Amino acid sequence: MSVKKIRKKLKEIGNEEKAKKHQSFFKTGPGEYGEGDIFVGVIVPELRRLAKEYKTIGINEIKQLLKSKIHEERLLSLFLLIHRYSKGDEPEKKRIYELYLKNTKFINNWDLVDSSAGQIAGAFLFDKSKNPLYDLVKSENLWERRISII
């Protein structure tokens, strides 16, 4: 499944009224914590269903979705990473964990962090040194600090 097809699917199932509510709820206005986020109005259960449907998508496509301006594409990418992490061997888990930490600037809202931090960063560090969390807790980035807490 290509990113282009996934984006088309999200737009098809999106709901303009929900998108407007999400824009307000997630504080996307100038100076607010979610400034600039764009929503298409796809609900979380639907994104979880799509993650199961597209679970074989490649890591490069997941990265594209993670770097999107569209909030639901980023959340879908995180659900896909969680799935890959849960099925991966130790080297795959490490790659996903490192990818996650290298892309925290795109994991920039409470629902994105709360849906993924425990299942990726927390799971990876469970039986390892917690030093990376201490670095995150000192970050200027609110969302990196939240990742360390979750």
Side-chain angles (χ1 to χ4, degrees):
M1 176 66 60
S2 72
V3 170
K4 189 174 182 178
K5 287 181 182 177
I6 291 172
R7 287 182 170 149
K8 182 180 177 191
K9 179 74 169 179
L10 288 173
K11 285 181 183 175
E12 287 172 4
I13 63 174
N15 178 297
E16 193 172 322
E17 192 173 307
K18 281 184 178 40
K20 287 179 184 177
K21 286 181 183 176
H22 289 156
Q23 292 285 149
S24 173
F25 181 77
F26 285 96
K27 309 294 184 201
T28 61
E32 295 179 318
Y33 67 77
E35 182 175 357
D37 246 4
I38 299 169
F39 286 83
V40 294
V42 180
I43 59 175
V44 171
E46 192 64 24
L47 291 171
R48 289 187 189 280
R49 186 192 67 72
L50 290 173
K52 288 178 184 174
E53 183 179 333
Y54 303 142
K55 65 185 176 187
T56 60
I57 189 171
I59 199 74
N60 288 330
E61 288 79 12
I62 293 173
K63 286 182 199 177
Q64 281 183 275
L65 292 170
L66 183 59
K67 294 177 180 182
S68 173
K69 291 184 179 195
I70 297 174
H71 188 91
E72 291 94 338
E73 289 183 18
R74 294 197 314 278
L75 186 53
L76 176 59
S77 75
L78 293 168
F79 290 155
L80 290 163
L81 285 174
I82 290 165
H83 176 76
R84 286 180 79 107
Y85 184 92
S86 72
K87 302 295 182 196
D89 59 13
E90 205 52 38
E92 174 76 350
K93 289 179 178 186
K94 183 178 182 189
R95 280 191 294 275
I96 291 168
Y97 164 76
E98 290 172 348
L99 169 72
Y100 187 84
L101 288 187
K102 286 180 186 171
N103 288 282
T104 57
K105 69 181 177 181
F106 304 108
I107 306 167
N108 60 352
N109 213 311
W110 64 266
D111 66 320
L112 301 174
V113 172
D114 293 7
S115 297
S116 61
Q119 291 86 342
I120 297 175
F124 185 77
L125 295 173
F126 182 76
D127 58 355
K128 296 173 184 62
S129 169
K130 307 305 181 267
N131 287 338
L133 296 178
Y134 302 136
D135 293 337
L136 290 172
V137 83
K138 296 175 194 171
S139 173
E140 296 288 320
N141 181 310
L142 164 69
W143 307 114
E144 287 183 352
R145 291 194 310 270
R146 188 172 181 102
I147 288 168
S148 73
I149 294 167
I150 301 296

